[in-house]
Amino acid sequence: MSENRTRFRLDQRRAPIYEALEQFRQMRVVPFDVPGHKRGRGNPELTAFLGQQCVGVDVNSMKPLDNLCHPVSVIREAEELAADAFGAAHAFLMVGGTTSSVQSMVLTACKRGDEIILPRNVHRSVLNALVLCGAVPVYVNPEVDKRLGISLGMKREQVAKAIKEHPNAVAVLVNNPTYYGICSDLRAIVKMAHEAGMLCLADEAHGTHFYFGNGLPVSAMAAGADMASVSMHKSGGSLTQSSLLLIGPNVHQGYVRQIINLTQTTSGSYLLMSSLDISRRNLALRGRQVFHQVADMAEYAREEINAVGGYYAFGKELCNGNSVFDFDTTKLSVHTLDIGLAGIEVYDILRDEYDIQIEFGDIGNILAYLSIGDRPQEIERLVSALAEIKRRYHTDGTGLLSQEYIDPVVAASPQEAFYAPKKSLPLRETEGMVCSEFVMCYPPGIPILAPGERITKEILNYIEYAKAKGCSMTGPEDPDILHLNVLA
């Protein structure tokens, strides 16, 4: 613990929101406020399901517990501790997931008509933010690894070219890392953005552990980025839907708070906030040791899975110094096509026949998400199941698609297309039309189509193939995706 504590200015053993809730629990306050379940008494079934410990602290904002919209006491202290732990100038506790964090980040940087440079393989939350604010995307289309069918990071020269061709752009957004663990040269991109007078934003939904890991890729704050959205609930161990928004010293804290308050709830969940507080404390005190163990488990799993044959659990060998500048070794991504199965098929077999739930399966790959709660015995169970699946289901993979990413043809801004007059057409009749809604496999939530993009035969083939293989398709108004909304 002493090694970790030397990194921090503040006492990271503190958890002020948790401490205030514990004190509140002992006060036996009579509740004539919301929520209406009144510490669980009004909803015994919910209390039996979640437990008295949980519903007893599902409370509303009050003076002793501070207010998320305008924190002045315990929430403010928790944010200061989070900023200290993550090396940020300020941290905001977010209770709308990293979607809310990403949207607040983009809305802070961009106004209507502003250009923002970003890779097309961003999460839908980024493009949702462009629909809301009216900013215009300048896409840096990532390279694709032909064997794996996955999109890579942004090349330095691609970013430099985009900055040169769009000097009035206000920001550059970077995935750090991608869902598959691929990292761009973040330090170089930050430097290029700042030299051009632009902000650098990082979507770190899958990079919480970068702040507490030896030998892992650089974190956004360490690289000098201006803002970063961090999914504490993914690798950080907090409750689902809890997140952090980090900012650097050159971003106005008060303005960011105003942007957050445009869309974030005024009834912040103390369950989510306390989970952020406790999880931050856990990572600050034990994160380096824990994530070292996670990386070791993932490396062991890669070796064992590759020894099975047929699968390819990829890792740092993909690094090329540019489009794959670094790789997150905690990510256990496995290519499955060589055993004749799409990733989503392996995903379904693991869940249905082996009671193993992995993060996602797509056309060519699966991702097993390893973090602070995993143990070696679960790794052994996963490896054994994959070996047995290969033995039972191995087949000829001829005819399987591999491409996960298709370069878009942008015909209108996301906001223009989303709010424009539209009509619904059968899927195959939309070829050549401009889409006005999102289509994606979830997870990972990276759009195959976004509002304003032209629909091509290749995209339609991909949608039908992904549906046939069992991918969970989301986004369109038609839940069966037999029709798409297009510009009228």
Side-chain angles (χ1 to χ4, degrees), residues 334-383:
V334 184
H335 189 62
T336 65
L337 293 186
D338 290 342
I339 68 164
L341 293 176
I344 187 63
E345 292 174 313
V346 176
Y347 169 99
D348 287 338
I349 294 168
L350 282 169
R351 184 195 60 243
D352 296 343
E353 300 184 27
Y354 294 90
D355 295 328
I356 295 174
Q357 181 63 58
I358 57 173
E359 175 66 9
F360 79 87
D362 52 32
I363 299 302
N365 305 278
I366 59 172
L367 173 66
Y369 210 101
L370 304 190
S371 193
I372 59 177
D374 288 295
R375 300 172 299 175
Q377 52 264 47
E378 275 104 29
I379 299 293
E380 298 289 0
R381 185 172 166 187
L382 174 63
V383 173

Side-chain angles (χ1 to χ4, degrees), residues 318-459:
L318 297 183
C319 292
N320 58 25
N322 201 348
S323 60
V324 188
F325 185 77
D326 207 347
F327 183 82
D328 175 9
T329 55
T330 72
K331 293 286 186 295
L332 184 56
S333 303
V334 184
H335 189 62
T336 65
L337 293 186
D338 290 342
I339 68 164
L341 293 176
I344 187 63
E345 292 174 313
V346 176
Y347 169 99
D348 287 338
I349 294 168
L350 282 169
R351 184 195 60 243
D352 296 343
E353 300 184 27
Y354 294 90
D355 295 328
I356 295 174
Q357 181 63 58
I358 57 173
E359 175 66 9
F360 79 87
D362 52 32
I363 299 302
N365 305 278
I366 59 172
L367 173 66
Y369 210 101
L370 304 190
S371 193
I372 59 177
D374 288 295
R375 300 172 299 175
Q377 52 264 47
E378 275 104 29
I379 299 293
E380 298 289 0
R381 185 172 166 187
L382 174 63
V383 173
S384 297
L386 289 174
E388 194 169 314
I389 289 170
K390 181 202 169 189
R391 179 180 61 78
R392 294 174 60 202
Y393 292 100
H394 187 283
T395 186
D396 181 10
T398 303
L400 291 176
L401 289 181
S402 65
Q403 190 87 342
E404 291 298 330
Y405 174 77
I406 302 169
D407 284 348
V409 178
V410 180
S413 77
Q415 187 182 65
E416 287 171 344
F418 187 83
Y419 290 112
K422 62 197 72 172
K423 59 185 177 182
S424 177
L425 290 177
L427 191 64
R428 277 294 168 182
E429 293 180 23
T430 62
E431 184 180 342
M433 302 283 201
V434 177
C435 193
S436 68
E437 56 186 351
F438 291 95
V439 183
M440 72 205 78
C441 298
Y442 188 85
I446 298 166
I448 301 162
L449 274 171
E453 294 178 359
R454 198 166 297 281
I455 302 166
T456 65
K457 181 179 288 188
E458 186 183 19
I459 288 170

Side-chain angles (χ1 to χ4, degrees), residues 15 131 193 201 255 275 413 433 476 478:
V131 169
L201 319 178
Y255 181 65
S275 82
S413 77
M433 302 283 201
D478 175 10

Side-chain angles (χ1 to χ4, degrees), residues 24-75:
F24 173 79
R25 195 200 299 274
Q26 296 166 13
M27 290 170 63
R28 302 175 64 85
V29 172
V30 178
F32 286 107
D33 61 351
V34 298
H37 61 66
K38 305 290 181 172
R39 316 293 187 263
R41 292 195 302 271
N43 195 338
E45 293 90 348
L46 181 68
T47 304
F49 179 60
L50 296 180
Q52 182 58 50
Q53 285 284 101
C54 178
V55 295
V57 291
D58 179 39
V59 293
N60 193 32
S61 296
M62 59 187 76
K63 281 191 175 180
L65 297 179
D66 208 354
N67 188 300
L68 182 60
C69 296
H70 188 81
V72 294
S73 58
V74 294
I75 295 176

